[in-house]
Amino acid sequence: MTLLEIKNVNKEYKAGQKALNNVSLSIDEGEFVVIIGPSGAGKSTLIRIINQLVAPTSGDVIFKGQSISSAKGKELRRLRSHIGMIFQHYNLIERTNVLKNVLHGKLGQVSFFTSAFGRYSQEDRNTAMDLLKQVGLEDQAYKRADELSGGQMQRVGICRALMQNPALILADEPIASLDPKSSDVVMRQLKDITESKGVTTIVNLHQVDVAKKFATRIIGVRKGEIVFDGKPSELTDDM
Ligand code: ADP
Ligand code: ADP
């Protein structure tokens, strides 16, 4: 089943300079896609266009059969609630404990007052704790987020994204600030958890070796265009 279709997407931040040049691709449910390419290739723009953080200059993004590019207001929020985000710099609330950071993934689905006053349901707390267990961080649940290592923070970021019960996870350079060992743990956990829950995942990376190790499909981007789309085994060394 197709989850996401990107149709003839162009993006010019400045007239005449194409960050994305007529990009089209289709992603099926359950894929673990890694987008690779050098800095400035357009990876980040592509990921941001999927959830409409960046609007395309032309073209369309169809998510779950609906156009997200033309969605606005409540409709856009509803579509986005199915898309979890993971960031390079984790974007945790540093002074807040780990469990609450995970619970923040529910934001948008509970009222402001519920979240502001910390009255999450017992069921949500159990779900959050269960996710933390799956990444081996249940013992850190009541620590402040800024007491964790970078790799641990990103594993909390994974839990927060999953707390939304998303159909799709977008991860923009999730391991760019981590050492190789932590990177490996984060990628392994991201892959295992999303696969076990049937969540489709798109990850931006610039490390080809990591992409080859974890991706079910690699998309190579250069100068705003797709220059490779296939299995890791089909990727040649000149990519
Ligand atoms: P990558 O993620 O592969 O490093 P980006 O999508 O960030 O690539 O950038 C693609 C191109 O678009 C680059 O030339 C970059 O300078 C430009 N760009 C990205 N974001 C903006 C922006 N907000 N305003 C203007 N130009 C941008
Ligand atoms: P990263 O590599 O962590 O994505 P960047 O330096 O590429 O960091 O981008 C940081 C921010 O600046 C992003 O929001 C991006 O969209 C924006 N940006 C990137 N290139 C440009 C540009 N040429 N002009 C304006 N904003 C840009």
Side-chain angles (χ1 to χ4, degrees), residues 158-187:
I158 293 171
C159 295
R160 180 184 53 193
L162 287 165
M163 193 68 205
Q164 253 175 273
N165 198 18
L168 175 68
I169 283 188
L170 303 175
D172 197 357
E173 296 277 2
I175 57 168
S177 309
L178 302 176
D179 62 72
K181 217 174 147 189
S182 312
S183 295
D184 213 67
V185 174
V186 165
M187 288 300 293

Side-chain angles (χ1 to χ4, degrees), residues 13-14 39 44-45 48 54 88-89 172-173:
Y13 291 99
K14 290 190 205 93
S39 183
S44 199
T45 300
R48 288 173 196 189
V54 164
Q88 176 179 348
H89 299 293
D172 197 357
E173 296 277 2

Side-chain angles (χ1 to χ4, degrees), residues 11-14 17-20 35-48 54 172-173 204-206 221 223-224:
K11 178 64 189 179
E12 296 183 13
Y13 291 99
K14 290 190 205 93
Q17 292 180 20
K18 292 210 161 188
L20 291 178
I35 301 174
I36 55 168
S39 183
K43 306 182 295 295
S44 199
T45 300
L46 185 55
I47 261 198
R48 288 173 196 189
V54 164
D172 197 357
E173 296 277 2
N204 276 355
L205 293 178
H206 55 265
V221 179
K223 296 182 181 163

Side-chain angles (χ1 to χ4, degrees), residues 52-68:
Q52 208 56 11
L53 276 176
V54 164
T57 307
S58 64
D60 204 357
V61 176
I62 312 289
F63 174 65
K64 287 176 151 239
Q66 278 178 279
S67 168
I68 196 162

Side-chain angles (χ1 to χ4, degrees), residues 9 18-23 40-43 221-226:
V9 163
K18 292 210 161 188
L20 291 178
N21 186 11
N22 204 31
V23 168
K43 306 182 295 295
V221 179
R222 258 190 203 180
K223 296 182 181 163
E225 297 188 6
I226 294 178

